[in-house]
C-alpha cells in the first residue's frame, strides 16, 4: 500500500510516552515498509536540544523499548535522519512561526506535499492552546491533508469533553481527529469483529436465547506507580471505565456492520451506546460497586494500601476498583446482563471477555442436583492472547461423569505489533476505524456522568479489598444476585 508523503509533528517529543511507545512504534513501521517513501518528523519540547541530541535520545529509546532493533545500523541511521527538533513553549503563539518555517523548509527540501499529522503527546491542559495556535499560525492551512492525534484523557467529565471537542472543531473536522484509546490498538480487540462476524457458528449464538451473560474484566496488579497525582483525581471510573471498558463493551456487543469501514463499524458501536440503559440516581448503587485497595500480598510480595501510597491524599475516597452490571436494551441483548470490572492491585494482570451460554439441557445431565458447567467462550486480550471454549464431555475414566473440556487457541505469533504501531499505521493511512469517534466518547461520558456524581457525593459505599484479591465481595455479590459467578 502506498502511503502519502507527509510531515509528522510530535508535540511532547521529549516526554515519557514518546520515548516508550511512539518512537519504537514509528521505527517498527519503518522497518516493515509501512511508512511513506518521503517523510519528515519534527519533534517539539521545552528543552533546548539540537537535532543531534534529539536523534541520540531517539536511538536510546529504540535500544531500550523497541520490540526489534535491526542489526543493520544503516536502517536506523536512515530513520533518524528524518528527525528534526524545535524547542517551543506550546503556550507562546509566536514560536509557532519558527515551527512553520521549519516544516515548510523540510517540505521544500524533500519535495513533499503539505500533508501534516499533528500528534499531541502532552498534558491535556495544552490541547486547546496547541490546536488554536496551529490554526492561528497557519500551520493548519495546508494544501494537502491534515490530521490530529490526541491522547487520553478526553475531558474529565461530560461537560469538559464537550467543551474540548468544540474547541478542536474550530481547527480540525471530526474526520481529521484521531482520538487514541490504546485498547483499540490491541491485536485481539481488533480481532474481535472477525471472531464474532467471520464465524457463523458464533454469529448464530449471539443473542439472548443462547447467551446468559457477558463479563469483561481488566485487572492490573500494579498500583498507582508514578501517576499518583493524576490517578488520585481520576480513579478507575475515569481512567478505565469511561474509555477502555466501554470501548470493549461496544466492540463485543455491536451488531453486524454493513461493511468493515470506519463509518459502518462506528455506527454499530454508537448504537450499542444509544441502547445502553442509563443509570438513574436511585439505581446506581444496585448496579455499581466502588472499591479501594488495602494492603496485601501480590505474587508473594507485600504491598501497601492505596491510602499509604506516596503522593496519595491520606483520607482519599478515590476508586481503584469499579464493577458494574449493564443492560443493552435492544432486540438481541434484551435480558442479557453485561458485567464489567476493573481495578488496580488485583490478583492477576489480565484483560478478557467471557461469554457464558445458557444451559438448555441441564436436566438431562445434572447429577444429584449439581448442574453441569455452562459453555464458556473466553477471549483473552492481554497479556496473553487467545480464545478458549469450554464444552462438556463424558470422562470414561471417571464413571462417565460429565466434565468440562477446554478447546484452546493461543496466539504464539512472535513479534506481534504493539498497539501504538497498529494505531499509528492506521493514522498514517487515514483509517479511523480503531479510534474513538466523538459520538462514542460523548455517549460514554453521558453514561458515566451520574456515576461520577454519585461517587463525588459519596452516595455509594466504598468497599475495601485486599491487594492481591479480585476485588471486594460486593463485586461477587453483584453476579451472585443473578445466579452467576465471575469466570
Ligand atoms: P511527560 O510529562 O513525560 O511529557 C510531557 C511532554 O510535554 C514533554 O515533552 C514536555 O517537554 C512537553 N511539555 C510540557 N509543557 C510544555 C510546554 N509548556 N511547552 C512545550 N512542551 C511542553 O508526559 P507523557 O508521559 O509523555 O504523557 C503525555 C500525555 O500522554 C499525558 O499527559 C497523557 O495525557 C497521555 N498519556 C500518557 C500515557 C503514558 O503511558 N505515559 C498513557 C496514556 C496517556
Amino acid at each position: 500500500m502506498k502511503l502519502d508523503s507527509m510531515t509528522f509533528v510530535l508535540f511532547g517529543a521529549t516526554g515519557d510516552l514518546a520515548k516508550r511507545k511512539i518512537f519504537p512504534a514509528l521505527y517498527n513501521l519503518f522497518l516493515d515498509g509501512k511508512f511513506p517513501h518521503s517523510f519528515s518528523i519534527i519533534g517539539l519540547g521545552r528543552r533546548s536540544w539540537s537535532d543531534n541530541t534529539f536523534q541520540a535520545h531517539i536511538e536510546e529509546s529504540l535500544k531500550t523499548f523497541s520490540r526489534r532493533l535491526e542489526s543493520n545500523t544503516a536502517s536506523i541511521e536512515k530513520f533518524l535522519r528524518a528527525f528534526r527538533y524545535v524547542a517551543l513553549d506550546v503556550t507562546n503563539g509566536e514560536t509557532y512561526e519558527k515551527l512553520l518555517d521549519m516544516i515548510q523548509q523540510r517540505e521544500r527540501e524533500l519535495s513533499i506535499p503539505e500533508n501534516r499529522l499533528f500528534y499531541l503527546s502532552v498534558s491535556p491542559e495544552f490541547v486547546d492552546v496547541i490546536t488554536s495556535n496551529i490554526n492561528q499560525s497557519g500551520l493548519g492551512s495546508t494544501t494537502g491533508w491534515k490530521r490530529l492525534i490526541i491522547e487520553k484523557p478526553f475531558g474529565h467529565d461530560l461537560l469538559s469533553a464537550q467543551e474540548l471537542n468544540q474547541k478542536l472543531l474550530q481547527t480540525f473536522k471530526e474526520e481529521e481527529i484521531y482520538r487514541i484509546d490504546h485498547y483499540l490498538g490491541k491485536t485481539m480487540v481488533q480481532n474481535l469483529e472477525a471472531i464474532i462476524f467471520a464465524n457463523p457458528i458464533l454469529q448464530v449464538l449471539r443473542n439472548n436465547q443462547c447467551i446468559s451473560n457477558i463479563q469483561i474484566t481488566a485487572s492490573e496488579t500494579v498500583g498507582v506507580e508514578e501517576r499518583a497525582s493524576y490517578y488520585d483525581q481520576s480513579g478507575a471510573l475515569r481512567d478505565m471505565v469511561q474509555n477502555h471498558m466501554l470501548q470493549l463493551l461496544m466492540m463485543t456487543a455491536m451488531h453486524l456492520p454493513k461493511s468493515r469501514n470506519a463509518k459502518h463499524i462506528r455506527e454499530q458501536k454508537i448504537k450499542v451506546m444509544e441502547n445502553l440503559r442509563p443509570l438513574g440516581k436511585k439505581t446506581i448503587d444496585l448496579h455499581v460497586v466502588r472499591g479501594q485497595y488495602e494492603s496485601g500480598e501480590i505474587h508473594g510480595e507485600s504491598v501497601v494500601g492505596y491510602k499509604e501510597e506516596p503522593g496519595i491524599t491520606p483520607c482519599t475516597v478515590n476508586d481503584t476498583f469499579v464493577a458494574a452490571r449493564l443492560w443493552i436494551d435492544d432486540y438481541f441483548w434484551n435480558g442479557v446482563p453485561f458485567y464489567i470490572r476493573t481495578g488496580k492491585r488485583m490478583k492477576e494482570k489480565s484483560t478478557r471477555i467471557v461469554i457464558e451460554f445458557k444451559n438448555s439441557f441441564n436436566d438431562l445431565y445434572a447429577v444429584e442436583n449439581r448442574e453441569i458447567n455452562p459453555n464458556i467462550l473466553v477471549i483473552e486480550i492481554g497479556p496473553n492472547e487467545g480464545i478458549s471454549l469450554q464444552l462438556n464431555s463424558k470422562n470414561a475414566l471417571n464413571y462417565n461423569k460429565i466434565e468440562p473440556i477446554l478447546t484452546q487457541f493461543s496466539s504464539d505469533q512472535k513479534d506481534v505489533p504493539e498497539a501504538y504501531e497498529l494505531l499509528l499505521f492506521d493514522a498514517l493511512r487515514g483509517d479511523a476505524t480503531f479510534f474513538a469517534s466523538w459520538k462514542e466518547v460523548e455517549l460514554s461520558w453521558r453514561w458515566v456522568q451520574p456515576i461520577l456524581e454519585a461517587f463525588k457525593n459519596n452516595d455509594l459505599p466504598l468497599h475495601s479489598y485486599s491487594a492481591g484479591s479480585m476485588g471486594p465481595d460486593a463485586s461477587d455479590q453483584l453476579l451472585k444476585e443473578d445466579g452467576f459467578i465471575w469466570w
Side-chain angles (χ1 to χ4, degrees):
M1 177 184 202
K2 196 172 168 299
L3 294 162
D4 298 335
S5 302
M6 52 100 215
T7 304
F8 190 104
V9 186
L10 178 60
F11 289 83
T14 57
D16 181 60
L17 187 67
K19 183 174 69 184
R20 284 188 305 109
K21 297 288 177 191
I22 302 172
F23 300 137
L26 291 175
Y27 179 61
N28 280 289
L29 290 177
F30 175 77
L31 287 181
D32 287 338
K34 291 178 174 169
F35 235 80
H37 184 257
S38 295
F39 63 95
S40 146
I41 304 181
I42 317 265
L44 310 162
R46 264 178 313 189
R47 298 180 202 179
S48 38
W49 277 358
S50 66
D51 288 342
N52 283 344
T53 315
F54 183 45
Q55 290 170 359
H57 171 78
I58 297 163
E59 188 170 3
E60 194 53 44
S61 126
L62 302 182
K63 286 182 179 154
T64 320
F65 298 104
S66 171
R67 68 185 170 87
R68 282 178 308 184
L69 198 62
E70 197 66 54
S71 49
N72 169 6
T73 50
S75 75
I76 197 164
E77 276 171 21
K78 188 169 170 220
F79 177 69
L80 292 176
R81 251 182 271 139
F83 286 81
R84 297 289 182 281
Y85 183 81
V86 177
L88 163 146
D89 178 350
V90 293
T91 57
N92 178 355
E94 285 164 23
T95 53
Y96 285 72
E97 284 160 25
K98 197 169 76 173
L99 174 62
L100 180 60
D101 284 346
M102 160 74 87
I103 292 176
Q104 287 175 331
Q105 187 195 327
R106 292 290 288 152
E107 284 168 345
R108 280 194 299 274
E109 274 169 21
L110 300 169
S111 302
I112 57 175
E114 292 178 355
N115 294 327
R116 294 173 192 158
L117 194 160
F118 301 95
Y119 191 139
L120 311 195
S121 178
V122 290
S123 167
E125 70 195 89
F126 295 131
V127 169
D128 175 18
V129 68
I130 294 176
T131 52
S132 80
N133 278 327
I134 288 175
N135 193 2
Q136 279 160 25
S137 63
L139 271 167
S141 314
T142 70
T143 53
W145 51 250
K146 68 173 187 302
R147 293 178 194 144
L148 174 77
I149 303 183
I150 55 172
E151 278 292 336
K152 81 165 196 184
F154 197 94
H156 55 89
D157 58 13
L158 177 61
L159 186 63
S160 62
Q162 286 169 330
E163 284 172 358
L164 173 61
N165 202 53
Q166 277 310 315
K167 285 174 183 157
L168 295 188
L169 289 177
Q170 290 169 8
T171 308
F172 293 90
K173 297 193 200 102
E174 168 63 17
E175 58 272 25
E176 293 173 329
I177 304 173
Y178 292 69
R179 297 176 194 81
I180 290 216
D181 184 313
H182 72 273
Y183 273 57
L184 289 178
K186 292 178 188 273
T187 40
M188 213 51 180
V189 175
Q190 299 204 347
N191 195 7
L192 272 175
E193 155 245 321
I195 294 171
I196 295 167
F197 299 121
N199 293 303
I201 57 164
L202 291 183
Q203 175 60 11
V204 294
L205 297 175
R206 255 178 109 250
N207 56 57
N208 55 7
Q209 300 298 306
C210 301
I211 291 177
S212 69
N213 74 92
I214 295 185
Q215 308 175 7
I216 304 175
T217 297
S219 56
E220 297 181 282
T221 51
V222 292
V224 291
E225 299 177 288
E226 284 85 39
R227 299 163 70 222
S229 60
Y230 156 76
Y231 194 83
D232 210 26
Q233 298 300 315
S234 146
L237 189 60
R238 286 189 175 92
D239 190 46
M240 291 294 294
V241 175
Q242 180 274 328
N243 38 46
H244 310 316
M245 301 304 283
L246 290 180
Q247 281 293 338
L248 290 177
L249 176 87
M250 287 180 238
M251 293 297 290
T252 310
M254 73 171 180
H255 297 306
L256 191 66
K258 270 196 223 137
S259 80
R260 294 171 56 214
N261 65 25
K263 177 173 178 282
H264 291 139
I265 289 183
R266 285 171 159 194
E267 264 172 21
Q268 290 303 330
K269 289 170 68 186
I270 289 166
K271 273 191 196 157
V272 171
M273 289 310 296
E274 284 171 344
N275 290 327
L276 191 61
R277 194 182 298 171
L279 290 179
K281 223 176 165 188
K282 293 203 177 100
T283 54
I284 291 175
D285 63 339
L286 300 177
H287 299 289
V288 179
V289 173
R290 158 171 90 141
Q292 189 185 83
Y293 62 82
E294 291 188 329
S295 59
E297 206 173 271
I298 301 182
H299 304 298
E301 198 189 311
S302 299
V303 297
V304 297
Y306 180 67
K307 288 190 177 73
E308 288 85 57
E309 295 273 16
I312 297 295
T313 333
C315 54
T316 177
V317 291
N318 192 29
D319 48 303
T320 65
F321 175 96
V322 174
R325 173 172 39 219
L326 302 88
W327 301 96
I328 299 169
D329 290 324
D330 74 9
Y331 180 77
F332 285 93
W333 294 126
N334 211 348
V336 179
F338 284 73
Y339 303 101
I340 57 174
R341 67 175 163 172
T342 181
K344 288 200 174 290
R345 285 286 190 228
M346 291 173 68
K347 187 177 167 193
E348 56 168 357
K349 177 178 169 58
S350 168
T351 304
R352 74 164 68 105
I353 297 166
V354 177
I355 300 176
E356 180 176 341
F357 293 89
K358 287 184 174 168
N359 260 349
S360 306
F361 298 104
N362 201 35
D363 291 351
L364 199 59
Y365 288 104
V367 179
E368 292 160 9
N369 287 333
R370 273 196 48 221
E371 294 189 356
I372 55 169
N373 285 285
N375 290 157
I376 295 170
L377 179 72
V378 181
I379 301 167
E380 295 282 354
I381 288 165
N384 304 315
E385 294 184 354
I387 305 172
S388 67
L389 179 63
Q390 180 177 281
L391 302 169
N392 287 306
S393 172
K394 283 181 183 172
N395 183 348
L397 301 176
N398 193 11
Y399 309 104
N400 273 341
K401 259 169 82 179
I402 303 288
E403 288 180 357
I405 54 167
L406 217 54
T407 56
Q408 242 168 334
F409 151 81
S410 58
S411 164
D412 55 358
Q413 288 167 293
K414 284 211 179 82
D415 287 335
V416 177
E418 286 213 12
Y420 273 85
E421 260 174 87
L422 294 173
L423 293 174
L424 283 177
F425 181 52
D426 285 350
L428 291 179
R429 63 199 176 107
D431 182 345
T433 308
F434 294 109
F435 291 84
S437 70
W438 165 241
K439 204 77 197 141
E440 292 162 39
V441 174
E442 185 181 36
L443 289 168
S444 302
W445 274 122
R446 209 174 274 286
W447 187 81
V448 158
Q449 187 65 36
I451 312 176
L452 274 178
E453 280 158 24
F455 282 14
K456 192 172 147 215
N457 299 334
N458 258 324
D459 293 341
L460 245 64
L462 179 67
H463 298 276
S464 57
Y465 62 99
S466 303
S469 70
M470 279 310 276
D473 294 343
S475 152
D476 298 330
Q477 192 57 33
L478 196 66
L479 274 72
K480 212 170 163 193
E481 287 164 11
D482 304 329
F484 304 124
I485 54 166
W486 288 106
W487 294 100

